[in-house]
Amino acid sequence: MIAWIIAIVIIVLLAIFYVSAYNGLIKGRTYVQESWSQIDVQLKRRNDLIPNLIETVKGYSHYEQSTLEKVVGLRNQLMNMPAGDHQKMMDVSDQLSNSLKSIFAVAEAYPDLKANDEYTKLMEELTNTENKIAYSRQLYNSSVASFNLKIQSFPSNIVAGIHHFTISEYLQVPEEEKEAPKVSFDK
């Protein structure tokens, strides 16, 4: 009789462990998905601001048409990209961010544009959105780290293997952004 009780207690404890490990993996995967969703929301927000920025800048910068076309092209590419390839989406997003910096630089040549209230508001919104994208990327990579740790740690790795949980990929920083900026003191 005692052997049966011990066997039942062991089975119940194993079941509790199994359910707990499985639910922890589901929770981790959900956090990864939710943190990607935050990036996606900020990318959409930036994409919605760009047409207004382009229209505002267009009236002032007659000679920077190629910069504006590049921004519009990258925005369209980002909007039409399939949702599954997060790293490719972030690579295009990084190119778009760099192109937006070019528009900020263009404004330096047009004092009237810098003084334009609409332009100032858009620049502020875009800067805030870029900061939110950077924060969301950090949150995503943190969520991925936590989830991947659960998948690789014993004994939850057994449950992860049974249910085919897979490692999530971190968002990588482009190689050119890892390089130190080139500074010149020549006049």
Side-chain angles (χ1 to χ4, degrees), residues 23-41:
N23 286 340
L25 289 164
I26 293 293
K27 183 177 173 183
R29 183 174 62 192
T30 302
Y31 283 151
V32 168
Q33 292 167 343
E34 189 270 338
S35 60
W36 175 257
S37 176
Q38 290 301 318
I39 293 172
D40 210 28
V41 164

Side-chain angles (χ1 to χ4, degrees), residues 142-157:
S142 271
S143 297
V144 166
S146 178
F147 178 64
N148 289 350
L149 184 62
K150 286 180 184 176
I151 287 177
Q152 296 172 1
S153 298
F154 181 80
S156 62
N157 63 340

Side-chain angles (χ1 to χ4, degrees), residues 76-116:
N76 292 341
Q77 183 180 350
L78 191 59
M79 290 181 67
N80 296 325
M81 191 169 286
D85 190 350
H86 295 168
Q87 187 60 50
K88 185 171 181 174
M89 189 176 280
M90 291 314 304
D91 290 344
V92 173
S93 175
D94 291 338
Q95 291 175 29
L96 181 57
S97 292
N98 289 333
S99 294
L100 286 171
K101 289 176 189 172
S102 297
I103 289 182
F104 298 162
V106 164
E108 295 298 320
Y110 300 95
D112 291 346
L113 176 59
K114 284 175 50 176
N116 181 301

